[in-house]
Amino acid sequence: MKPVNEVKLDFWSRSANEAFARTAAACFAAQLDPTLDEVNDIKTAVSEAVTNVIVHAYPDCIGKVILRLRLFEDHTVEIVIKDHGVGIPDVEKAREPLFTTGSEERSGMGFTIMESFTDSMRVRSQVGKGTTVTLRKKIARRLGGSH
């Protein structure tokens, strides 16, 4: 299925950019007339994904984060967060609740949260090359909406 709209943003893995990415994703998804709950789900998932990049992908440096947002005719928003950081040696282990490679103040719930606030999550990673997280969320159609 071809997207009906798409945007790609590149930004540095600075913590200030997490709020930017979250807001940009919510604004882009607004075209589908989401409910406040649906907007908050998108913001939460993007926030977790970008925070993972900042904390885990580039633990000792600042690197590039790529955020791609696509809308589809079936009212699905696709969110892709990509980095060229350290990569994840064991994706299945990293997806386990409470597992973290960060410091003790990290909850280890990032992937669990992303998965619970979206309809699907795919994680691809190569050690030394980076990670790509693809999230999809279907937005309910509103009666009388223009879409």
Side-chain angles (χ1 to χ4, degrees):
M1 189 178 343
K2 280 179 46 176
V4 294
N5 202 358
E6 179 174 0
V7 67
K8 182 177 166 190
L9 303 167
D10 295 7
F11 53 91
W12 294 114
S13 62
R14 298 189 181 282
S15 57
N17 288 333
E18 175 270 325
F20 165 74
R22 181 179 66 223
T23 303
C27 289
F28 188 74
Q31 299 168 64
L32 296 179
D33 193 25
T35 64
L36 194 53
D37 284 343
E38 289 168 332
V39 169
N40 286 334
D41 289 353
I42 289 167
K43 288 166 97 173
T44 299
V46 169
S47 179
E48 288 296 328
V50 172
T51 298
N52 268 4
V53 173
I54 293 166
V55 171
H56 301 291
Y58 303 112
D60 303 316
C61 64
I62 298 296
K64 188 174 276 195
V65 183
I66 297 116
L67 173 66
R68 190 181 78 206
L69 303 160
R70 300 193 312 168
L71 302 179
F72 294 91
E73 284 181 11
D74 70 349
H75 260 228
T76 298
V77 60
E78 181 184 75
I79 303 155
V80 177
I81 301 94
K82 182 176 182 171
D83 66 69
H84 300 288
V86 299
I88 303 169
D90 186 342
V91 171
E92 288 311 307
K93 183 81 175 158
R95 288 180 71 157
E96 290 177 12
L98 307 179
F99 177 82
T100 184
T101 59
S103 58
E104 61 277 349
E105 70 264 6
R106 309 304 315 172
S107 72
M109 294 297 287
F111 283 137
T112 303
I113 290 168
M114 282 180 250
E115 206 162 22
S116 66
F117 283 91
T118 59
D119 297 322
S120 70
M121 177 182 77
R122 188 176 76 232
V123 181
R124 290 191 344 255
S125 190
Q126 260 188 297
V127 174
K129 298 209 174 181
T131 302
T132 301
V133 175
T134 303
L135 306 167
R136 292 178 72 89
K137 181 159 184 73
K138 183 128 179 175
I139 304 300
R141 291 184 187 270
R142 310 279 163 257
L143 289 175
S146 60
H147 301 281

